[in-house]
Amino acid sequence: MSKPIRITVTKTAGSAPRDAGTQMLVWPDRIAGTIGGGALEWDAIAEARKMLTEGRETLTRRIPLGPGLGQCCGGAVTLLWEKGDALDAPPARALWIYGAGHVGRAIVNVMAPLPDFDITWVDTGADRFPETDVTTLVAQDPAAVVKHAPDDAEHLILTYSHDLDLAICHAILSRPFAGAGLIGSATKWARFKTRLAALGHDPAHVSRIACPIGDPTFGKHPAALALGVATAMISRTDARTKDRTA
């Protein structure tokens, strides 16, 4: 069987259904992935199948969505058609989550399906994890495994113990990290800032840890906290994508 045609959104201008880097695969009888649906995708699939029939291997085209396709987006996209049997995996952000309680489970349920994150989930006992497709790590002392995280990892601290939370915060602040969030109230965070300062951490460095996490307007239910945290992290992902494609 011949290779399918891989369609890649290589550039966008104005309003577009999907961001640059989005891909899909097209075979004569099926597809995988999506570049946004609608007339854009329909015509792109038709072009890919025409290429398969004619034996052509590559094509690039800039498509104005409004005048060209009658779509309401109003922007333009540049598409690349090429032979390829797999979708390129986007670089994933390392996300380390400490705690497999109600909030930890809710956050993993929301974040795990997203391709932008490579999750490592840490807790003190194997029986605390539900069945999951993310990487789990059992550690009697979760703070001791922080050193194994990549320097550009983001951390969410959600354990059942304030002492564990503090030790993990201390470990994170003692090494490079991209971002960190701690579950807790404003009162808890005020106490932690005092204790972390006593451990030798500069207040400006301590302030890189966000606490409380989530959006208070969503409420305090674990699912609501998870939605707030995921929204903030996805927003940062979108901002990075725009920076790369500007």
Side-chain angles (χ1 to χ4, degrees), residues 31-42:
I31 63 172
T34 176
I35 57 169
L40 171 67
E41 183 168 295
W42 182 267

Side-chain angles (χ1 to χ4, degrees), residues 32-237:
T34 176
I35 57 169
L40 171 67
E41 183 168 295
W42 182 267
D43 287 359
I45 291 171
E47 185 64 49
R49 287 180 172 155
K50 184 178 178 182
M51 290 174 64
L52 288 170
T53 299
E54 297 176 354
R56 290 184 286 128
E57 295 196 356
T58 185
L59 172 69
T60 300
R61 183 179 297 162
R62 185 180 186 275
I63 304 169
L65 299 174
L69 294 174
Q71 293 195 191
C72 61
C73 297
V77 300
T78 301
L79 298 183
L80 168 65
W81 290 260
E82 61 182 340
K83 285 288 184 74
D85 54 8
L87 301 177
D88 293 336
R93 292 159 56 187
L95 174 59
W96 283 51
I97 298 176
Y98 306 85
H102 295 302
V103 175
R105 291 181 180 211
I107 289 176
V108 170
N109 283 340
V110 172
M111 303 295 293
L114 300 173
D116 301 308
F117 299 94
D118 179 11
I119 296 175
T120 299
W121 199 4
V122 183
D123 209 312
T124 55
D127 59 341
R128 293 183 56 79
F129 296 107
E131 286 192 20
T132 180
D133 292 330
V134 307
T135 300
T136 57
L137 183 57
V138 178
Q140 290 185 335
D141 180 7
V145 305
V146 171
K147 64 185 177 184
H148 298 295
D151 289 352
D152 61 352
E154 297 173 76
H155 303 263
L156 292 175
I157 308 154
L158 321 158
T159 80
Y160 54 80
S161 163
H162 283 199
D163 288 340
L164 277 179
D165 286 351
L166 181 68
I168 295 168
C169 286
H170 175 47
I172 291 169
L173 291 169
S174 300
R175 49 152 300 140
F177 67 101
L182 169 69
I183 191 170
S185 64
T187 300
K188 173 181 175 179
W189 185 227
R191 291 173 179 168
F192 269 43
K193 285 191 288 187
T194 299
R195 296 176 69 181
L196 289 167
L199 289 169
H201 299 292
D202 181 82
H205 194 47
V206 172
S207 69
R208 292 186 61 200
I209 298 178
C211 183
I213 57 171
D215 184 334
T217 63
F218 286 15
K220 296 182 179 180
H221 189 281
L225 280 170
L227 288 173
V229 171
T231 298
M233 298 194 76
I234 292 168
S235 295
R236 290 198 292 274
T237 299

Side-chain angles (χ1 to χ4, degrees), residues 1-5 25-32 49 52 85:
M1 179 182 293
S2 62
K3 287 185 177 181
I5 296 293
L25 294 174
V26 179
W27 290 264
D29 58 347
R30 69 188 193 280
I31 63 172
R49 287 180 172 155
L52 288 170
D85 54 8

